[in-house]
Amino acid sequence: MTDVLRSRQTAPVAPRRVDADRAARTAGPVTASSEQRQMWYLSRLDPEPASYLVPLAYRLHGPLDVAALSAALDGLVARHAALRTTLTPGDGPAGPSGADATPDGAAPHLVQVVQEPRPGLLRVHDLSGLPTWQRDQERQARMHAETRTPMDLERGPVLRATLLRCAPEEHVLLLTIHHVAVDEWSLDILHEEWAELYAAHRAGRPADLGPVEVDFRDHAAWQHDWLGGPEAAAQREYWRGQLA
């Protein structure tokens, strides 16, 4: 492991973080990032429709304010544009990386389209009136369906949330997000912010959350510019030499 770390220290410097002051903010479509293009391409190439879903299930014990939970989810999605961003093929070059060619050789130009927030995202199903065996069977069936139901990256949504009420103080929350919008690191942020928004709605106070200074559109705009610049060209040349 030490040798690996040393070898990484001698590799070219990684791209700098996004500078919020220089990022190209716009309310209109923004060119998709390379990661988004990869997810879009893989979702069309892979015959398994649910391969890139991130399904999560939570058992919730104790009193639950469903209205506050639902309002907190709506606030979370309204706060983070990535959770309501779809990808649409458009006119223009695919980007400097050239890594997103389709099977027929044509490279699509993809743009991000941030959809308007839609309240009432949380779907609630009451299973508490069913016999125990049937309730457990229905819960398992709904959990399985969540992991198998695909998401359309061009139409959305890229997030689904379902609350199963199994008893007055026993619930199962099913949260499914496409990998194009979330990863392990950002999941921690979503969990923390959803919890804070839930607590704020229950207490009738503003959420203790700062503004979102940089969103994924800023990152994509910065990345697109960086990939077309001299630093990226030098890195591509370096890695061509290493692979050769």
Side-chain angles (χ1 to χ4, degrees), residues 37-58:
R37 292 196 297 269
Q38 290 167 11
M39 283 288 103
W40 180 88
Y41 173 63
L42 289 172
S43 70
R44 298 174 71 90
L45 181 67
D46 195 326
E48 177 55 60
S51 296
Y52 301 99
L53 298 185
V54 181
L56 305 165
Y58 307 88

Side-chain angles (χ1 to χ4, degrees), residues 86-208:
T86 56
L87 303 177
T88 302
D91 297 327
S97 65
D100 45 325
T102 55
D104 61 2
H109 175 69
L110 292 177
V111 295
Q112 302 180 53
V113 179
V114 180
Q115 306 294 336
E116 290 296 320
R118 298 178 181 177
L121 294 172
L122 182 66
R123 299 170 296 175
V124 181
H125 298 282
D126 191 350
L127 309 180
S128 60
L130 300 175
T132 301
W133 68 268
Q134 189 175 357
R135 183 175 63 237
D136 293 343
Q137 189 178 62
E138 182 67 16
R139 183 182 67 243
Q140 290 295 328
R142 290 183 181 273
M143 292 175 64
H144 180 73
E146 276 298 318
T147 65
R148 308 302 299 171
T149 303
M151 291 179 175
D152 190 333
L153 295 184
E154 295 184 19
R155 296 182 180 180
V158 295
L159 176 147
R160 292 193 300 261
T162 302
L163 183 69
L164 306 179
R165 186 174 187 264
C166 302
E169 295 191 359
E170 181 183 348
H171 297 78
V172 175
L173 175 63
L174 306 178
L175 181 65
T176 306
I177 313 176
H178 198 285
H179 190 36
V180 75
V182 75
D183 57 15
E184 185 176 0
W185 181 80
S186 55
L187 271 177
D188 290 338
I189 296 176
L190 297 184
H191 289 152
E192 293 174 5
E193 293 193 356
W194 196 356
E196 169 57 23
L197 287 164
Y198 175 73
H201 278 286
R202 292 201 67 191
R205 61 169 175 81
D208 185 16

